[in-house]
Each structure stands twice: as structure tokens, then as C-alpha cells.
Amino acid sequence: RGGGGGGARARLGGGGRKVVSVGRQFQESLDSLMGMLHTCSPHFVRCIKPNHHLAPDDFDGAYVMRQLQQMGMVHVVKARKQGFAHRYDFDTFIARYGYLREGVECDAAKLAPYLQTYLGSASPPAGTKTETVQLLGALAAADMFATDGWAVGTTKLFLKASHQQQLEVARESHLRRVITQTLTKAIADQDLASLDEAVARAVEIRLTGKLVEEAKALLATLREREKAFEALTEAMEMRDVAAVEAALKQAAAVRLEKDAKKGAQKVSDAKALLTQLKAQQVASNALAAALASKDVKKLRDALDAAQKSGLNSGQVTQAQRMLEGLKTKDALEKKLAAAAKGGSLAELTQLLAQAEEIGLSTEAARAAKRRHASLQESAQASSALQSASTARDEEALRAAIERASAAEQNQAAAEREKAAMSAELATAKELLAKLEAEHSTVLATPPRGGAAAARGLPTPSGPVSYVPGPPAGLPCEPLAARGARLQRG
């Protein structure tokens, strides 16, 4: 009894806790699995071993066939062959096999029995269901499909394995013919898109042969040409000599110039651009050298080369500005040289102001400055002579004559200007001599005695210095009368 009591306590657990049995655990696990399966769409996969060694790349056909037989798969396949193994809705069937009607001629009289048998009317309403029966009837009339053994339902077409095989044979034959024509045309046109599509369809139906190999080789060439074409386009947009040369080498490797559609023109354009870019590069180097030398001829030649090559950059603008500046300096220098030999003071002043503005400092400019200074001094001396002559100021006239004489000796002027200065000096000297003579007469001592007293003039007291009188033949006059006569001229 003691043992029995211990067993009861063991089933309840040491502390009275209920113990779950193995059967209960299995039932709960099974319920969980069935609940999971009911929420899904299970697909059962049967695994077949390729060999009993469990080695890769070793297929034992007899061993695999024995497994299929033991699993019942052979009987399943046979059973499906005996029934309608293939079922299509009408839209899917027409999408896959509709083009088989092309090239199959069949009049309405031959189609009428099939329409009557499978649709219950020789003139059924239009739709994919009617198109399906017309297609199968036309193929059957052309001995390309079985006349019976297939069924048409409300929404689907039912075919046996043999019918499916006939359709696939017809479809493959049609595709081979169409794809062969497409390949031939694509090879002739050398169009990348159509050739790519045709080769893809040929691979899809496992079409082989010399034509397919030729198409594949041409497709690879066209793809390389397309890459070369894109590289050329990109290099031409960059306008880089090295990039264009590399792209042209790539194009030559795939013979892009043989592409009559666009490749040949692109190669021709790239070569022309390369020639232009090289000419622009040479012109740019020539411009840089001409800018450094500041030589008019080099600048003009470099700008001509830049214009011929189509170069249009900031360097060209800079060279044009420098050339215009040098031309202006050259023209100004020639004007200064001519003016330094015989130009007027106003002309020299204007030209020297222009030279100062552009910073011209040449021998011609320095000669013009010397000429300008000489003419300016002559003008000032002439003005001083005129002012002194007008004022009849003996001292001022003497100083002006000295200044004019110095200016005449230092003047680098033309003969006509020297002659004018000499004439002015001669006139001034004559006037000075005249003034000196008049001064001498005025300063001569007047007669003493009664004559002065008789005239009511004051008699000088004290000693008077004697100044010799004027030469014989000139009358002696009182100072006041002499002054009045001089004023009257």
C-alpha cells in the first residue's frame, strides 16, 4: 500500500502539480501543426536522390526510375495522360497560340462543323471562346491538329497531352520560321534592338544553327560598337583631345565606321573635332607665346590661327585687347615721332597726354617731351618778348631777349620756327636799342642860365654831372616835350 500511495503522488508531481503525459504533448503538437496547415496552401515536394552515393554531378537513371515507380509518380503521369492534362482559359490560350492562325487558310464552310459541335451554333457571338474554336478548327482542317478528343467548357479549354504536344510542335515550327526570318532581317539591317530581341527568342525556343551563331556574333559586335559610339559621344561633349583620341581607337577596334546608320558619321565628326581641337591647342600655345612677347605680328598671326580653328576663349579676348593696345601705341608712337620733328605745341600736348594715359615710354615719346619742353619755353619767351615790347620796359625787354636767345639756341625745331623766333628777336633788339637811345637823350643835361629861368623852370643848385648829348642833327627838347612826343609815338 505504501508503494501505491507513492505512485499517486508521483503522477500528481512532488508538490501536487499535474504532469502532462506524452500522448497529450503529441496531440497538442499535432493540433498546432494542423492549424498552421489550414492557414496556408501546402505544396508537397518529393525528393529524389540522383545516386545512392550521395555524390554531386552523378545521375543514375535506373536508380531514379526505381524511386519514381516506388513513389507512384509513373502511375500519376499515366493517369493524367488519359484525362485532360492541360486546361486553359480562353484568353491565355489565344495569347499563347493565337498567331498559329497566321498562314493557315480555312473558309467558313470548313469551320462551321466545329463551331456547331463545340459551341452549338455555326454563327456564335464574337469572343475569345469563339476564336479558340476557330483556331483549333482551322488547324484540324489543315491536318495540324486532332479533329476530336478535346473539349470546350464554359470558361476553359480541355486538352489531352497529345493535343498539347501537337500545339507545341506547331508553335515551335511557327516560331522557328518567324524567328529565322526576323534573324535574317535583323542581320541585314544590323539593328541592335531587333537583333537582340530575335536572338533572345531564338535562345528561348532553343534554335541553333549557323544563322543563330552569326546573329550572336553580330550582336556582340553591335554591342561593342554601341559602347564605342557612346564613348565617342561623351568624349566629343568633353572636347578633350586625349579622350577623343582614346574613343577613336576604341571605335577603330570594333570598326564603327562600317555602321552606315550612325557610326560612320559619328567617326567622321569625331575626327573633324579632333583636328579642330588640335588646331585650337596649337593656336592657344601660340597665343600664350604672343601674349608673353607683346609682339604685334605674333599676336596678329596667333589670332588668325585662333579664328581659323574656331577658338573662342578668354585668351583670345585678352590677345585682341593687347593687339589693339599695341596698335594704338604704335600709331601714337609714329605720331609722336612726326610731331617731335615739326609738330605744334598744342598737338604735342595732346599726344603726350595720350602717351601718359597708356604708359608709353619710348624714345619717340622722350623726343616728343624734349620737343614739347623746347616749344613751351619758346612760347613763353615769345610771350615775354611781346609783353615787354608792349610795356616798352627796357629791363623786362632785355631779360626777355636773353631768354629768347637761349631758347633759340636750345630749340630742336624746324627752320620756320627758328626763323620766326629770330625775327621776333631782331624786332625786340631794335626796340631795345631805340629805347636805350631815347633813354640816353632823356638823361642828357639841359642848358644852364637864362633859358631855364626865362621859361620859369627851376635852376638846379649844386654841381650837375654832364652827359654827352645826342648825336648831331637831333634837336634838344625839354624832358616834358620829349615825353609827350614819345607818348604820341
Side-chain angles (χ1 to χ4, degrees), residues 8-21 24-25 28:
R9 285 194 298 272
R11 284 193 300 274
L12 292 174
R17 180 169 49 86
K18 186 177 180 180
V19 178
V20 180
S21 63
R24 183 63 180 177
Q25 293 177 5
E28 292 177 355

Side-chain angles (χ1 to χ4, degrees), residues 64-407:
V64 171
M65 189 63 187
R66 186 166 61 252
Q67 293 180 75
L68 292 174
Q69 290 175 345
Q70 292 174 356
M71 294 168 60
M73 293 301 298
V74 176
H75 295 287
V76 171
V77 172
K78 289 181 179 179
R80 286 185 65 87
K81 282 185 177 181
Q82 292 175 359
F84 296 108
H86 301 277
R87 305 174 184 186
Y88 294 97
D89 59 74
F90 301 120
D91 291 336
T92 303
F93 182 81
I94 291 299
R96 182 172 178 83
Y97 300 105
Y99 51 79
L100 294 179
R101 182 68 188 272
E102 299 175 4
V104 179
E105 296 180 0
C106 184
D107 54 16
K110 293 182 180 180
L111 291 178
Y114 296 98
L115 296 175
Q116 186 67 40
T117 301
Y118 292 100
L119 298 180
S121 173
S123 300
T128 54
K129 183 175 183 179
T130 301
E131 292 177 7
T132 299
V133 176
Q134 289 175 342
L135 171 61
L136 294 177
L139 292 175
D143 296 330
M144 298 172 62
F145 190 71
T147 58
D148 57 2
W150 43 279
V152 179
T154 304
T155 60
K156 289 187 177 182
L157 172 67
F158 298 88
L159 300 174
K160 293 185 178 181
S162 58
H163 300 146
Q164 174 71 18
Q165 186 176 3
Q166 289 176 350
L167 287 174
E168 286 298 318
V169 169
R171 177 175 180 270
E172 183 176 351
S173 176
H174 176 80
L175 288 177
R176 285 177 179 273
R177 183 175 67 255
V178 171
I179 292 175
T180 299
Q181 295 174 355
T182 305
L183 280 175
T184 304
K185 186 176 184 302
I187 291 173
D189 296 341
Q190 293 194 2
D191 182 71
L192 179 60
S194 59
L195 186 61
D196 192 8
E197 181 181 358
V199 170
R201 295 181 65 183
V203 172
E204 181 182 358
I205 65 170
R206 297 183 178 86
L207 182 63
T208 59
K210 183 179 179 180
L211 182 64
V212 177
E213 296 301 322
E214 181 183 355
K216 288 181 178 180
L218 179 59
L219 179 61
T221 301
L222 291 180
R223 284 174 176 170
E224 292 298 323
R225 288 180 179 177
E226 185 67 21
K227 291 180 181 178
F229 182 87
E230 293 176 357
L232 266 182
T233 303
E234 183 178 357
M236 291 174 69
E237 290 176 355
M238 292 171 58
R239 299 183 66 86
D240 181 74
V241 174
V244 175
E245 287 179 343
L248 281 174
K249 288 182 180 179
Q250 182 179 353
V254 297
R255 302 179 69 185
L256 183 60
E257 67 278 1
K258 297 297 183 181
D259 185 1
K261 288 186 176 180
K262 59 180 183 179
Q265 185 62 40
K266 179 62 72 172
V267 171
S268 177
D269 294 343
K271 288 181 178 179
L273 178 62
L274 180 61
T275 302
Q276 182 185 14
L277 290 176
K278 287 183 176 180
Q280 289 180 355
Q281 196 173 52
V282 173
S284 179
N285 295 334
L287 279 174
L291 286 170
S293 66
K294 297 183 179 180
D295 183 76
V296 174
K297 185 179 183 306
K298 290 182 178 179
L299 280 170
R300 188 180 290 110
D301 294 342
L303 284 172
D304 290 342
Q307 184 179 6
K308 291 179 181 179
S309 65
L311 181 63
N312 185 15
S313 62
Q315 198 177 29
V316 175
T317 304
Q318 183 182 0
Q320 288 174 344
R321 290 176 180 175
M322 179 176 286
L323 180 60
E324 291 300 324
L326 290 175
K327 285 181 178 179
T328 302
K329 286 185 178 181
D330 187 54
L332 183 57
E333 188 173 0
K334 290 180 180 178
K335 290 180 180 180
L336 283 172
K341 294 180 180 179
S344 65
L345 179 61
E347 181 184 4
L348 278 170
T349 302
Q350 182 181 2
L351 292 176
L352 286 173
Q354 296 178 8
E356 185 70 22
E357 184 178 353
I358 65 174
L360 181 61
S361 179
T362 61
E363 183 58 35
R366 289 189 288 271
K369 285 182 180 180
R370 292 192 296 269
R371 164 72 173 165
H372 180 268
S374 176
L375 288 179
Q376 194 171 29
E377 178 62 23
S378 298
Q380 292 175 358
S382 178
S383 177
L385 280 175
Q386 293 176 3
S387 299
S389 298
T390 303
R392 303 179 70 84
D393 186 346
E394 185 177 345
E395 294 299 329
L397 188 59
R398 186 177 291 108
I401 290 174
E402 291 180 0
R403 183 177 180 181
S405 298

